[in-house]
Amino acid sequence: MDVPAPRRRLGGRGHHRGDGLSLLFAADVPEDVAGVLTATQRPVVTAAFTETASAAAWRTKQSWALVAGADRTISPEVQRFGAARVGVVVELPRASHAVALSEPTRVADLIRDGVRATI
C-alpha cells in the first residue's frame, strides 16, 4: 500500500496529508472519527524519532506493552521487539495505531491491570 509521505517539514515538525492519515493511523476507527483525527492532527516533532532516553524505566519498574497488530504507523514487529523486553504483552491483532479509540475497553483494562499490580 502506498501511504502519502509527510506533506512538509516546518521547524522540525512534519505531518501527513489528510488523504492518507486514516489509512495509516486509524484504519479501524469509524470514518467520522478518522475525519476528526485528520482535521485536527498536529505536526509531530521530528526530534521524537532521534532523541534518546537517559534511562529505560522498564528495566527497574514492572511494565506492560500493547502491540497493535494492524498498526501501519509503528510496525507490529518493532512493537513486539520492544514489548519482548517488558515481559507482559497484550496483542490486539486487528488494532491500528489508534488502538485507544478502536479498542478503548481493552486499553483501559490493560491500564487498570497495571495500576492494580503496582499498588
Side-chain angles (χ1 to χ4, degrees):
M1 167 199 307
D2 291 328
V3 177
R7 183 177 357 187
R8 55 190 161 157
R9 297 197 186 285
L10 299 171
R13 296 176 181 269
H15 64 279
H16 271 274
R17 296 192 310 249
D19 56 350
L21 181 72
S22 59
L23 288 176
L24 178 70
F25 185 82
D28 60 342
V29 301
E31 193 173 316
D32 60 331
V33 174
V36 170
L37 294 173
T38 298
T40 60
Q41 71 169 313
R42 299 203 22 115
V44 65
V45 176
T46 53
F49 301 110
T50 59
E51 211 169 47
T52 58
S54 60
W58 55 264
R59 291 184 184 197
T60 58
K61 299 183 182 304
Q62 188 173 4
S63 302
W64 288 257
L66 188 147
V67 175
D71 195 332
R72 294 179 180 157
T73 303
I74 300 174
S75 158
E77 291 76 26
V78 170
Q79 293 178 53
R80 285 185 201 100
F81 174 78
R85 298 174 174 191
V86 170
V88 179
V89 178
V90 173
E91 181 152 356
L92 301 177
R94 296 186 195 115
S96 73
H97 194 73
V99 64
L101 296 173
S102 65
E103 296 282 350
T105 302
R106 307 270 309 267
V107 172
D109 288 345
L110 178 65
I111 294 168
R112 278 191 287 274
D113 290 348
V115 169
R116 285 186 199 112
T118 57
I119 56 173

